[in-house]
Amino acid sequence: MKAISFVVLFAWAGIALAEPAPVESAPAQASLAEQIPTTEKEFVSVINQYSSAQLISQFGEPSKRDDLKDRKTGEVVASIWQYQYLNTDAEGEYYQTTELDIVNDKVVMVVFMNNDGKGSPEEVKKIEIKPEM
């Protein structure tokens, strides 16, 4: 009985003193360029997962930006950003302008335009982003 107790105690001591196995480092996270697709359908399906800082990190500052501010606090509550030649349609043709409507630092609507975004568009495709539940 003493021999069994000694073996068990020795085994537990070995486990307690053993160095933890090295954890393999996770593969480097894919760059944002790989994370945010620019093809129309894929872009719309994932864009609300990214913050405005992540959008700027990948795409740079928008060519046009309109901030809507709270009158009392001056805090930006929503933004309308426009990028030029950012997204492609199913045939691989670029939309001249992509408009992103941002509320609470998340994209809530995407508008693809075949014009420069100035004036009234003749052909506009609006896609509302459904919030994640």
Side-chain angles (χ1 to χ4, degrees), residues 52-117:
S52 54
Q54 290 171 308
L55 296 173
I56 291 171
S57 176
Q58 178 171 339
F59 304 125
E61 289 290 334
S63 58
K64 181 179 178 188
R65 179 180 181 156
D66 291 322
D67 291 332
L68 304 170
K69 296 180 181 182
D70 183 291
R71 289 183 186 174
K72 293 180 182 178
T73 65
E75 177 185 359
V76 174
V77 293
S79 292
I80 301 169
W81 292 9
Q82 288 185 353
Y83 284 97
Q84 305 302 314
Y85 300 100
L86 177 66
N87 298 102
T88 57
D89 62 15
E91 288 78 38
E93 297 293 321
Y94 277 94
Y95 288 103
Q96 188 173 354
T97 304
T98 300
E99 180 179 288
L100 304 176
D101 297 348
I102 300 169
V103 177
N104 294 329
D105 203 37
K106 295 294 177 186
V107 175
V108 295
M109 182 165 306
V110 176
V111 180
F112 300 110
M113 295 181 269
N114 288 318
N115 63 49
D116 62 5

Short mmCIF file of all heavy atoms in Angstrom, two decimals, residues 52-117:
data_model
loop_
_atom_site.label_atom_id
_atom_site.label_comp_id
_atom_site.label_asym_id
_atom_site.label_seq_id
_atom_site.Cartn_x
_atom_site.Cartn_y
_atom_site.Cartn_z
N SER A 52 -15.17 51.88 -37.73
CA SER A 52 -14.69 52.90 -38.67
C SER A 52 -13.16 52.95 -38.69
O SER A 52 -12.56 53.19 -39.73
CB SER A 52 -15.30 54.26 -38.34
OG SER A 52 -15.06 54.60 -37.01
N ALA A 53 -12.52 52.69 -37.56
CA ALA A 53 -11.05 52.68 -37.52
C ALA A 53 -10.50 51.56 -38.40
O ALA A 53 -9.49 51.75 -39.09
CB ALA A 53 -10.56 52.51 -36.08
N GLN A 54 -11.14 50.40 -38.41
CA GLN A 54 -10.70 49.30 -39.25
C GLN A 54 -10.92 49.62 -40.73
O GLN A 54 -10.11 49.26 -41.57
CB GLN A 54 -11.42 48.01 -38.88
CG GLN A 54 -10.99 47.47 -37.52
CD GLN A 54 -11.86 46.33 -37.07
OE1 GLN A 54 -13.09 46.44 -37.04
NE2 GLN A 54 -11.23 45.22 -36.70
N LEU A 55 -12.02 50.30 -41.03
CA LEU A 55 -12.27 50.70 -42.42
C LEU A 55 -11.18 51.65 -42.90
O LEU A 55 -10.65 51.50 -43.99
CB LEU A 55 -13.65 51.35 -42.55
CG LEU A 55 -14.85 50.46 -42.25
CD1 LEU A 55 -16.13 51.28 -42.26
CD2 LEU A 55 -14.93 49.32 -43.23
N ILE A 56 -10.85 52.63 -42.06
CA ILE A 56 -9.81 53.59 -42.43
C ILE A 56 -8.46 52.89 -42.56
O ILE A 56 -7.68 53.20 -43.45
CB ILE A 56 -9.75 54.75 -41.41
CG1 ILE A 56 -11.01 55.61 -41.55
CG2 ILE A 56 -8.50 55.58 -41.60
CD1 ILE A 56 -11.17 56.66 -40.47
N SER A 57 -8.21 51.92 -41.69
CA SER A 57 -6.95 51.18 -41.75
C SER A 57 -6.78 50.49 -43.09
O SER A 57 -5.68 50.45 -43.64
CB SER A 57 -6.90 50.17 -40.61
OG SER A 57 -5.74 49.39 -40.70
N GLN A 58 -7.86 49.93 -43.62
CA GLN A 58 -7.75 49.21 -44.89
C GLN A 58 -7.93 50.13 -46.09
O GLN A 58 -7.15 50.07 -47.04
CB GLN A 58 -8.78 48.10 -44.99
CG GLN A 58 -8.67 47.39 -46.35
CD GLN A 58 -9.50 46.15 -46.46
OE1 GLN A 58 -9.86 45.56 -45.46
NE2 GLN A 58 -9.79 45.74 -47.67
N PHE A 59 -8.93 50.98 -46.07
CA PHE A 59 -9.29 51.75 -47.25
C PHE A 59 -8.80 53.20 -47.24
O PHE A 59 -8.90 53.89 -48.24
CB PHE A 59 -10.81 51.76 -47.44
CG PHE A 59 -11.42 50.39 -47.52
CD1 PHE A 59 -12.44 50.01 -46.67
CD2 PHE A 59 -10.96 49.46 -48.45
CE1 PHE A 59 -13.00 48.75 -46.75
CE2 PHE A 59 -11.51 48.19 -48.53
CZ PHE A 59 -12.54 47.84 -47.67
N GLY A 60 -8.29 53.65 -46.10
CA GLY A 60 -7.87 55.05 -45.98
C GLY A 60 -9.07 55.94 -45.68
O GLY A 60 -10.19 55.47 -45.51
N GLU A 61 -8.81 57.22 -45.62
CA GLU A 61 -9.89 58.18 -45.35
C GLU A 61 -10.85 58.21 -46.54
O GLU A 61 -10.42 58.10 -47.69
CB GLU A 61 -9.32 59.59 -45.12
CG GLU A 61 -8.58 59.75 -43.81
CD GLU A 61 -9.49 59.71 -42.58
OE1 GLU A 61 -10.68 60.05 -42.69
OE2 GLU A 61 -8.99 59.34 -41.50
N PRO A 62 -12.14 58.38 -46.27
CA PRO A 62 -13.09 58.46 -47.39
C PRO A 62 -12.85 59.73 -48.21
O PRO A 62 -12.34 60.72 -47.69
CB PRO A 62 -14.45 58.49 -46.70
CG PRO A 62 -14.19 58.93 -45.30
CD PRO A 62 -12.80 58.49 -44.97
N SER A 63 -13.25 59.69 -49.48
CA SER A 63 -13.08 60.87 -50.33
C SER A 63 -14.03 61.99 -49.92
O SER A 63 -13.75 63.16 -50.15
CB SER A 63 -13.29 60.50 -51.80
OG SER A 63 -14.58 59.96 -51.99
N LYS A 64 -15.14 61.62 -49.31
CA LYS A 64 -16.10 62.60 -48.81
C LYS A 64 -16.65 62.07 -47.50
O LYS A 64 -16.94 60.88 -47.38
CB LYS A 64 -17.23 62.81 -49.81
CG LYS A 64 -18.24 63.84 -49.37
CD LYS A 64 -19.33 64.02 -50.41
CE LYS A 64 -20.36 65.02 -49.90
NZ LYS A 64 -21.52 65.09 -50.80
N ARG A 65 -16.79 62.96 -46.53
CA ARG A 65 -17.29 62.54 -45.22
C ARG A 65 -18.19 63.63 -44.67
O ARG A 65 -17.80 64.80 -44.59
CB ARG A 65 -16.11 62.32 -44.28
CG ARG A 65 -16.50 61.92 -42.88
CD ARG A 65 -15.27 61.73 -42.01
NE ARG A 65 -15.67 61.33 -40.69
CZ ARG A 65 -14.91 60.67 -39.85
NH1 ARG A 65 -13.69 60.34 -40.21
NH2 ARG A 65 -15.34 60.33 -38.67
N ASP A 66 -19.41 63.25 -44.28
CA ASP A 66 -20.34 64.16 -43.63
C ASP A 66 -20.68 63.59 -42.27
O ASP A 66 -21.19 62.47 -42.18
CB ASP A 66 -21.64 64.30 -44.45
CG ASP A 66 -21.42 65.04 -45.76
OD1 ASP A 66 -20.63 65.99 -45.76
OD2 ASP A 66 -22.04 64.64 -46.77
N ASP A 67 -20.37 64.33 -41.22
CA ASP A 67 -20.67 63.90 -39.86
C ASP A 67 -21.94 64.60 -39.38
O ASP A 67 -22.10 65.80 -39.57
CB ASP A 67 -19.52 64.23 -38.91
CG ASP A 67 -18.29 63.40 -39.18
OD1 ASP A 67 -18.43 62.26 -39.67
OD2 ASP A 67 -17.18 63.88 -38.89
N LEU A 68 -22.81 63.83 -38.75
CA LEU A 68 -24.01 64.38 -38.14
C LEU A 68 -23.78 64.42 -36.63
O LEU A 68 -23.53 63.38 -36.02
CB LEU A 68 -25.22 63.50 -38.48
CG LEU A 68 -25.45 63.29 -39.98
CD1 LEU A 68 -26.50 62.22 -40.21
CD2 LEU A 68 -25.84 64.59 -40.65
N LYS A 69 -23.86 65.62 -36.06
CA LYS A 69 -23.51 65.79 -34.65
C LYS A 69 -24.74 66.11 -33.81
O LYS A 69 -25.68 66.75 -34.28
CB LYS A 69 -22.50 66.92 -34.50
CG LYS A 69 -21.18 66.63 -35.18
CD LYS A 69 -20.19 67.75 -35.00
CE LYS A 69 -18.89 67.43 -35.71
NZ LYS A 69 -17.90 68.47 -35.54
N ASP A 70 -24.70 65.67 -32.56
CA ASP A 70 -25.73 66.02 -31.58
C ASP A 70 -25.61 67.52 -31.30
O ASP A 70 -24.51 68.02 -31.03
CB ASP A 70 -25.50 65.21 -30.30
CG ASP A 70 -26.57 65.46 -29.26
OD1 ASP A 70 -26.60 66.58 -28.70
OD2 ASP A 70 -27.35 64.52 -29.00
N ARG A 71 -26.72 68.22 -31.37
CA ARG A 71 -26.69 69.69 -31.18
C ARG A 71 -26.21 70.10 -29.80
O ARG A 71 -25.53 71.10 -29.65
CB ARG A 71 -28.07 70.28 -31.43
CG ARG A 71 -28.48 70.25 -32.87
CD ARG A 71 -29.82 70.90 -33.05
NE ARG A 71 -30.24 70.75 -34.43
CZ ARG A 71 -31.41 71.11 -34.87
NH1 ARG A 71 -32.29 71.63 -34.06
NH2 ARG A 71 -31.72 70.94 -36.15
N LYS A 72 -26.55 69.33 -28.80
CA LYS A 72 -26.19 69.70 -27.42
C LYS A 72 -24.75 69.34 -27.09
O LYS A 72 -24.02 70.14 -26.51
CB LYS A 72 -27.13 69.03 -26.43
CG LYS A 72 -28.55 69.55 -26.52
CD LYS A 72 -29.45 68.86 -25.52
CE LYS A 72 -30.88 69.36 -25.67
NZ LYS A 72 -31.79 68.68 -24.77
N THR A 73 -24.35 68.14 -27.43
CA THR A 73 -23.03 67.67 -27.02
C THR A 73 -21.95 67.85 -28.08
O THR A 73 -20.77 67.83 -27.76
CB THR A 73 -23.08 66.17 -26.66
OG1 THR A 73 -23.39 65.42 -27.83
CG2 THR A 73 -24.11 65.89 -25.56
N GLY A 74 -22.35 68.00 -29.33
CA GLY A 74 -21.38 68.09 -30.41
C GLY A 74 -20.77 66.76 -30.80
O GLY A 74 -19.92 66.67 -31.67
N GLU A 75 -21.24 65.69 -30.15
CA GLU A 75 -20.74 64.34 -30.42
C GLU A 75 -21.25 63.86 -31.78
O GLU A 75 -22.41 64.06 -32.13
CB GLU A 75 -21.22 63.39 -29.33
CG GLU A 75 -20.83 61.96 -29.54
CD GLU A 75 -21.44 61.03 -28.49
OE1 GLU A 75 -22.14 61.49 -27.58
OE2 GLU A 75 -21.19 59.82 -28.60
N VAL A 76 -20.38 63.22 -32.55
CA VAL A 76 -20.76 62.65 -33.84
C VAL A 76 -21.62 61.42 -33.56
O VAL A 76 -21.19 60.48 -32.91
CB VAL A 76 -19.52 62.27 -34.68
CG1 VAL A 76 -19.95 61.56 -35.95
CG2 VAL A 76 -18.70 63.50 -35.00
N VAL A 77 -22.87 61.44 -34.07
CA VAL A 77 -23.78 60.32 -33.85
C VAL A 77 -23.93 59.46 -35.10
O VAL A 77 -24.34 58.30 -35.02
CB VAL A 77 -25.16 60.80 -33.35
CG1 VAL A 77 -25.04 61.40 -31.97
CG2 VAL A 77 -25.78 61.79 -34.32
N ALA A 78 -23.62 60.03 -36.25
CA ALA A 78 -23.70 59.27 -37.50
C ALA A 78 -22.77 59.93 -38.51
O ALA A 78 -22.46 61.12 -38.41
CB ALA A 78 -25.13 59.24 -38.02
N SER A 79 -22.35 59.15 -39.49
CA SER A 79 -21.48 59.66 -40.55
C SER A 79 -21.89 59.06 -41.88
O SER A 79 -22.38 57.93 -41.93
CB SER A 79 -20.01 59.29 -40.29
OG SER A 79 -19.51 59.97 -39.19
N ILE A 80 -21.66 59.81 -42.91
CA ILE A 80 -21.87 59.34 -44.27
C ILE A 80 -20.52 59.45 -44.96
O ILE A 80 -19.96 60.53 -45.08
CB ILE A 80 -22.93 60.18 -45.00
CG1 ILE A 80 -24.26 60.11 -44.25
CG2 ILE A 80 -23.08 59.67 -46.44
CD1 ILE A 80 -25.27 61.10 -44.74
N TRP A 81 -19.97 58.30 -45.35
CA TRP A 81 -18.67 58.25 -45.99
C TRP A 81 -18.84 57.83 -47.44
O TRP A 81 -19.65 56.95 -47.74
CB TRP A 81 -17.76 57.24 -45.31
CG TRP A 81 -17.34 57.57 -43.92
CD1 TRP A 81 -17.78 58.58 -43.13
CD2 TRP A 81 -16.37 56.85 -43.15
NE1 TRP A 81 -17.16 58.54 -41.91
CE2 TRP A 81 -16.29 57.49 -41.89
CE3 TRP A 81 -15.59 55.75 -43.39
CZ2 TRP A 81 -15.44 57.05 -40.90
CZ3 TRP A 81 -14.74 55.31 -42.40
CH2 TRP A 81 -14.67 55.96 -41.16
N GLN A 82 -18.04 58.41 -48.31
CA GLN A 82 -18.02 57.98 -49.70
C GLN A 82 -16.59 57.61 -50.11
O GLN A 82 -15.65 58.33 -49.81
CB GLN A 82 -18.54 59.08 -50.63
CG GLN A 82 -20.03 59.28 -50.50
CD GLN A 82 -20.56 60.28 -51.51
OE1 GLN A 82 -19.81 60.93 -52.23
NE2 GLN A 82 -21.88 60.40 -51.57
N TYR A 83 -16.51 56.47 -50.77
CA TYR A 83 -15.25 56.00 -51.34
C TYR A 83 -15.44 55.89 -52.85
O TYR A 83 -16.52 55.55 -53.32
CB TYR A 83 -14.86 54.63 -50.78
CG TYR A 83 -14.32 54.66 -49.38
CD1 TYR A 83 -15.13 54.40 -48.29
CD2 TYR A 83 -12.98 54.94 -49.15
CE1 TYR A 83 -14.63 54.43 -46.99
CE2 TYR A 83 -12.46 54.96 -47.87
CZ TYR A 83 -13.30 54.71 -46.79
OH TYR A 83 -12.77 54.73 -45.53
N GLN A 84 -14.39 56.13 -53.58
CA GLN A 84 -14.42 56.03 -55.04
C GLN A 84 -13.75 54.73 -55.49
O GLN A 84 -12.67 54.38 -55.02
CB GLN A 84 -13.70 57.23 -55.68
CG GLN A 84 -14.23 58.58 -55.21
CD GLN A 84 -15.71 58.77 -55.48
OE1 GLN A 84 -16.19 58.47 -56.56
NE2 GLN A 84 -16.42 59.26 -54.48
N TYR A 85 -14.42 54.03 -56.39
CA TYR A 85 -13.89 52.79 -57.00
C TYR A 85 -13.40 51.79 -55.95
O TYR A 85 -12.31 51.26 -56.03
CB TYR A 85 -12.79 53.12 -58.01
CG TYR A 85 -13.31 54.00 -59.13
CD1 TYR A 85 -13.08 55.37 -59.11
CD2 TYR A 85 -14.04 53.44 -60.17
CE1 TYR A 85 -13.58 56.18 -60.13
CE2 TYR A 85 -14.54 54.25 -61.18
CZ TYR A 85 -14.31 55.61 -61.16
OH TYR A 85 -14.81 56.41 -62.15
N LEU A 86 -14.26 51.51 -54.98
CA LEU A 86 -13.93 50.59 -53.90
C LEU A 86 -14.46 49.19 -54.17
O LEU A 86 -13.78 48.20 -53.95
CB LEU A 86 -14.49 51.12 -52.57
CG LEU A 86 -14.31 50.25 -51.34
CD1 LEU A 86 -12.83 50.15 -50.99
CD2 LEU A 86 -15.08 50.83 -50.17
N ASN A 87 -15.71 49.10 -54.65
CA ASN A 87 -16.38 47.81 -54.78
C ASN A 87 -16.68 47.47 -56.23
O ASN A 87 -16.86 48.34 -57.07
CB ASN A 87 -17.70 47.82 -54.00
CG ASN A 87 -17.47 48.03 -52.53
OD1 ASN A 87 -17.67 49.12 -52.04
ND2 ASN A 87 -17.02 47.01 -51.84
N THR A 88 -16.76 46.16 -56.48
CA THR A 88 -17.08 45.67 -57.82
C THR A 88 -18.42 44.93 -57.80
O THR A 88 -18.79 44.35 -56.78
CB THR A 88 -15.99 44.71 -58.35
OG1 THR A 88 -15.85 43.63 -57.43
CG2 THR A 88 -14.68 45.43 -58.52
N ASP A 89 -19.09 44.94 -58.94
CA ASP A 89 -20.34 44.20 -59.07
C ASP A 89 -20.03 42.75 -59.43
O ASP A 89 -18.86 42.34 -59.47
CB ASP A 89 -21.27 44.87 -60.08
CG ASP A 89 -20.70 44.92 -61.49
OD1 ASP A 89 -19.72 44.20 -61.79
OD2 ASP A 89 -21.23 45.70 -62.31
N ALA A 90 -21.08 41.98 -59.72
CA ALA A 90 -20.91 40.55 -60.02
C ALA A 90 -20.05 40.30 -61.26
O ALA A 90 -19.39 39.28 -61.37
CB ALA A 90 -22.28 39.89 -60.19
N GLU A 91 -20.05 41.26 -62.19
CA GLU A 91 -19.25 41.12 -63.42
C GLU A 91 -17.83 41.64 -63.25
O GLU A 91 -17.03 41.61 -64.19
CB GLU A 91 -19.93 41.85 -64.59
CG GLU A 91 -21.18 41.16 -65.10
CD GLU A 91 -22.40 41.42 -64.21
OE1 GLU A 91 -22.53 42.55 -63.70
OE2 GLU A 91 -23.19 40.50 -64.00
N GLY A 92 -17.50 42.17 -62.07
CA GLY A 92 -16.15 42.67 -61.83
C GLY A 92 -15.96 44.13 -62.19
O GLY A 92 -14.84 44.65 -62.12
N GLU A 93 -17.03 44.82 -62.58
CA GLU A 93 -16.95 46.25 -62.90
C GLU A 93 -17.06 47.07 -61.62
O GLU A 93 -17.86 46.76 -60.74
CB GLU A 93 -18.09 46.65 -63.85
CG GLU A 93 -18.04 45.96 -65.20
CD GLU A 93 -16.84 46.38 -66.03
OE1 GLU A 93 -16.49 47.58 -66.00
OE2 GLU A 93 -16.24 45.51 -66.70
N TYR A 94 -16.24 48.12 -61.52
CA TYR A 94 -16.26 48.96 -60.33
C TYR A 94 -17.46 49.90 -60.31
O TYR A 94 -17.85 50.44 -61.34
CB TYR A 94 -14.98 49.81 -60.26
CG TYR A 94 -13.82 49.07 -59.67
CD1 TYR A 94 -12.91 48.43 -60.49
CD2 TYR A 94 -13.63 49.01 -58.30
CE1 TYR A 94 -11.84 47.74 -59.96
CE2 TYR A 94 -12.57 48.32 -57.76
CZ TYR A 94 -11.67 47.68 -58.59
OH TYR A 94 -10.63 47.00 -58.05
N TYR A 95 -18.02 50.06 -59.11
CA TYR A 95 -18.98 51.14 -58.89
C TYR A 95 -18.14 52.40 -58.72
O TYR A 95 -17.12 52.37 -58.03
CB TYR A 95 -19.79 50.90 -57.61
CG TYR A 95 -20.79 49.78 -57.74
CD1 TYR A 95 -20.55 48.53 -57.18
CD2 TYR A 95 -21.98 49.97 -58.42
CE1 TYR A 95 -21.47 47.51 -57.29
CE2 TYR A 95 -22.92 48.95 -58.54
CZ TYR A 95 -22.65 47.73 -57.97
OH TYR A 95 -23.56 46.71 -58.07
N GLN A 96 -18.57 53.49 -59.29
CA GLN A 96 -17.80 54.72 -59.18
C GLN A 96 -17.74 55.20 -57.73
O GLN A 96 -16.71 55.67 -57.27
CB GLN A 96 -18.37 55.82 -60.08
CG GLN A 96 -17.47 57.04 -60.13
CD GLN A 96 -17.95 58.07 -61.15
OE1 GLN A 96 -18.89 57.83 -61.90
NE2 GLN A 96 -17.30 59.20 -61.16
N THR A 97 -18.85 55.05 -57.01
CA THR A 97 -18.91 55.52 -55.62
C THR A 97 -19.57 54.47 -54.75
O THR A 97 -20.56 53.86 -55.13
CB THR A 97 -19.71 56.83 -55.52
OG1 THR A 97 -19.13 57.79 -56.39
CG2 THR A 97 -19.72 57.38 -54.10
N THR A 98 -19.01 54.27 -53.57
CA THR A 98 -19.65 53.46 -52.53
C THR A 98 -19.87 54.38 -51.35
O THR A 98 -18.95 55.03 -50.86
CB THR A 98 -18.75 52.28 -52.09
OG1 THR A 98 -18.51 51.45 -53.21
CG2 THR A 98 -19.40 51.47 -50.98
N GLU A 99 -21.13 54.44 -50.89
CA GLU A 99 -21.46 55.28 -49.73
C GLU A 99 -21.73 54.36 -48.55
O GLU A 99 -22.47 53.38 -48.67
CB GLU A 99 -22.69 56.12 -50.02
CG GLU A 99 -23.09 57.01 -48.86
CD GLU A 99 -24.30 57.87 -49.19
OE1 GLU A 99 -24.16 58.81 -49.98
OE2 GLU A 99 -25.39 57.56 -48.67
N LEU A 100 -21.13 54.68 -47.41
CA LEU A 100 -21.33 53.92 -46.18
C LEU A 100 -21.99 54.83 -45.17
O LEU A 100 -21.45 55.90 -44.84
CB LEU A 100 -20.00 53.41 -45.63
CG LEU A 100 -19.15 52.57 -46.58
CD1 LEU A 100 -17.81 52.24 -45.92
CD2 LEU A 100 -19.88 51.32 -46.99
N ASP A 101 -23.16 54.44 -44.67
CA ASP A 101 -23.83 55.18 -43.61
C ASP A 101 -23.48 54.49 -42.30
O ASP A 101 -23.75 53.29 -42.13
CB ASP A 101 -25.34 55.19 -43.83
CG ASP A 101 -25.72 55.91 -45.13
OD1 ASP A 101 -24.86 56.59 -45.72
OD2 ASP A 101 -26.88 55.80 -45.54
N ILE A 102 -22.88 55.25 -41.39
CA ILE A 102 -22.34 54.69 -40.15
C ILE A 102 -23.06 55.29 -38.95
O ILE A 102 -23.17 56.51 -38.83
CB ILE A 102 -20.82 54.98 -40.05
CG1 ILE A 102 -20.12 54.35 -41.25
CG2 ILE A 102 -20.26 54.47 -38.74
CD1 ILE A 102 -18.67 54.77 -41.40
N VAL A 103 -23.56 54.42 -38.06
CA VAL A 103 -24.21 54.83 -36.82
C VAL A 103 -23.59 54.01 -35.70
O VAL A 103 -23.46 52.78 -35.83
CB VAL A 103 -25.74 54.60 -36.86
CG1 VAL A 103 -26.38 54.96 -35.53
CG2 VAL A 103 -26.37 55.41 -38.00
N ASN A 104 -23.22 54.67 -34.61
CA ASN A 104 -22.59 53.98 -33.47
C ASN A 104 -21.38 53.16 -33.91
O ASN A 104 -21.20 52.03 -33.49
CB ASN A 104 -23.59 53.10 -32.73
CG ASN A 104 -24.66 53.89 -32.05
OD1 ASN A 104 -24.44 55.03 -31.61
ND2 ASN A 104 -25.86 53.34 -31.95
N ASP A 105 -20.59 53.73 -34.81
CA ASP A 105 -19.34 53.14 -35.28
C ASP A 105 -19.54 51.84 -36.07
O ASP A 105 -18.61 51.06 -36.21
CB ASP A 105 -18.37 52.92 -34.12
CG ASP A 105 -16.93 52.85 -34.59
OD1 ASP A 105 -16.57 53.60 -35.53
OD2 ASP A 105 -16.16 52.05 -34.04
N LYS A 106 -20.74 51.60 -36.60
CA LYS A 106 -21.00 50.41 -37.43
C LYS A 106 -21.74 50.84 -38.69
O LYS A 106 -22.60 51.72 -38.66
CB LYS A 106 -21.86 49.38 -36.68
CG LYS A 106 -21.18 48.77 -35.46
CD LYS A 106 -19.99 47.94 -35.85
CE LYS A 106 -19.28 47.40 -34.62
NZ LYS A 106 -18.06 46.72 -34.96
N VAL A 107 -21.43 50.19 -39.79
CA VAL A 107 -22.09 50.47 -41.06
C VAL A 107 -23.52 49.92 -40.99
O VAL A 107 -23.71 48.74 -40.68
CB VAL A 107 -21.33 49.84 -42.24
CG1 VAL A 107 -22.08 50.03 -43.54
CG2 VAL A 107 -19.93 50.44 -42.34
N VAL A 108 -24.50 50.78 -41.27
CA VAL A 108 -25.90 50.36 -41.26
C VAL A 108 -26.51 50.35 -42.65
O VAL A 108 -27.58 49.77 -42.85
CB VAL A 108 -26.76 51.23 -40.32
CG1 VAL A 108 -26.31 51.06 -38.87
CG2 VAL A 108 -26.73 52.68 -40.73
N MET A 109 -25.88 51.02 -43.62
CA MET A 109 -26.36 51.00 -44.99
C MET A 109 -25.20 51.18 -45.95
O MET A 109 -24.27 51.94 -45.68
CB MET A 109 -27.40 52.09 -45.23
CG MET A 109 -27.94 52.04 -46.66
SD MET A 109 -29.43 52.95 -47.01
CE MET A 109 -30.57 52.37 -45.82
N VAL A 110 -25.30 50.48 -47.07
CA VAL A 110 -24.32 50.60 -48.14
C VAL A 110 -25.07 51.01 -49.39
O VAL A 110 -26.12 50.45 -49.70
CB VAL A 110 -23.59 49.25 -48.40
CG1 VAL A 110 -22.64 49.36 -49.57
CG2 VAL A 110 -22.87 48.78 -47.15
N VAL A 111 -24.55 52.01 -50.10
CA VAL A 111 -25.14 52.46 -51.36
C VAL A 111 -24.05 52.39 -52.42
O VAL A 111 -22.99 52.99 -52.26
CB VAL A 111 -25.68 53.90 -51.25
CG1 VAL A 111 -26.28 54.34 -52.58
CG2 VAL A 111 -26.70 54.03 -50.12
N PHE A 112 -24.32 51.65 -53.50
CA PHE A 112 -23.41 51.57 -54.63
C PHE A 112 -23.94 52.49 -55.72
O PHE A 112 -25.10 52.39 -56.11
CB PHE A 112 -23.31 50.13 -55.16
CG PHE A 112 -22.80 49.15 -54.14
CD1 PHE A 112 -23.64 48.20 -53.61
CD2 PHE A 112 -21.48 49.18 -53.73
CE1 PHE A 112 -23.17 47.28 -52.69
CE2 PHE A 112 -21.00 48.27 -52.81
CZ PHE A 112 -21.86 47.32 -52.28
N MET A 113 -23.09 53.40 -56.23
CA MET A 113 -23.53 54.36 -57.24
C MET A 113 -22.61 54.32 -58.46
O MET A 113 -21.40 54.18 -58.31
CB MET A 113 -23.51 55.78 -56.66
CG MET A 113 -24.50 55.99 -55.54
SD MET A 113 -24.48 57.67 -54.91
CE MET A 113 -23.26 57.51 -53.61
N ASN A 114 -23.22 54.48 -59.60
CA ASN A 114 -22.45 54.57 -60.83
C ASN A 114 -22.33 56.03 -61.25
O ASN A 114 -22.54 56.39 -62.40
CB ASN A 114 -23.08 53.73 -61.94
CG ASN A 114 -22.88 52.25 -61.68
OD1 ASN A 114 -21.79 51.85 -61.27
ND2 ASN A 114 -23.89 51.46 -61.88
N ASN A 115 -22.02 56.89 -60.28
CA ASN A 115 -21.73 58.30 -60.52
C ASN A 115 -20.77 58.74 -59.43
O ASN A 115 -20.40 57.97 -58.56
CB ASN A 115 -23.02 59.14 -60.55
CG ASN A 115 -23.76 59.12 -59.23
OD1 ASN A 115 -23.18 59.34 -58.19
ND2 ASN A 115 -25.05 58.84 -59.27
N ASP A 116 -20.41 60.03 -59.44
CA ASP A 116 -19.40 60.50 -58.50
C ASP A 116 -19.95 60.82 -57.11
O ASP A 116 -19.22 61.27 -56.24
CB ASP A 116 -18.66 61.72 -59.06
CG ASP A 116 -19.57 62.90 -59.31
OD1 ASP A 116 -20.77 62.84 -58.96
OD2 ASP A 116 -19.08 63.90 -59.86
N GLY A 117 -21.25 60.61 -56.88
CA GLY A 117 -21.84 60.85 -55.57
C GLY A 117 -22.26 62.28 -55.35
O GLY A 117 -22.80 62.63 -54.31
#
